[in-house]
Amino acid sequence: MTNLIDIQSQIEKLQKQANEIKAKEFQSTVQEIQAKMQAFGITVKDLQGGKTAKAGKGGRGKAKIIAPKIPRVSKKSTNPVAAKYRGPNGESWSGRGLTPRWLTTLIAQGQSKEAFAVNA
């Protein structure tokens, strides 16, 4: 069974090998990328600017930047909700959200919530 020191030395050797391979393949990879950029008419500016679409036929012409799609956010309903409960001083509550203080106070005094219900 190998111990931690053996594993760390193997990691170092493999890291050196990876760096050597990267150094050998670096120049050929750069040349491949440059050839493809020339074939498709891609510039460094195109790479920095995000998505682009070529104008005209065959991909020739000026690049047109396409804005990223932004998901639409649904709007909340702005229609008011009818009151389901009405207090003795004209307060109203739709029954949505937290119970209002006026109704909480009345319930604490022993009255029922149904006593303040608006009959539709």
Side-chain angles (χ1 to χ4, degrees), residues 2-113:
T2 59
N3 62 19
L4 180 63
I5 297 170
D6 293 336
I7 292 173
Q8 287 178 337
S9 66
Q10 288 176 354
I11 290 172
E12 284 180 38
K13 289 177 186 176
L14 292 172
Q15 194 66 40
K16 287 179 185 177
Q17 287 178 347
N19 289 337
E20 289 172 4
I21 293 170
K22 184 177 179 182
K24 288 179 186 176
E25 295 180 2
F26 181 80
Q27 192 58 36
S28 64
T29 304
V30 169
Q31 289 174 353
E32 288 176 24
I33 292 170
Q34 287 175 339
K36 288 184 179 182
M37 287 176 66
Q38 190 174 22
F40 288 96
I42 299 171
T43 65
V44 175
K45 188 176 180 180
D46 293 333
L47 297 175
Q48 294 171 342
K51 293 184 179 180
T52 60
K54 298 292 181 184
K57 294 182 180 179
R60 300 279 183 216
K62 291 186 176 181
K64 180 174 116 182
I65 297 176
I66 300 172
K69 293 185 179 180
I70 300 171
R72 293 183 182 180
V73 179
S74 62
K75 295 180 181 178
K76 288 188 176 181
S77 172
T78 57
N79 298 335
V81 179
K84 292 185 181 179
Y85 301 96
R86 192 160 312 276
N89 298 326
E91 309 97 328
S92 64
W93 180 47
S94 66
R96 295 183 179 180
L98 295 174
T99 307
R101 289 185 184 154
W102 63 266
L103 186 55
T104 306
T105 305
L106 293 171
I107 292 171
Q109 292 173 356
Q111 299 185 30
S112 68
K113 184 165 63 171

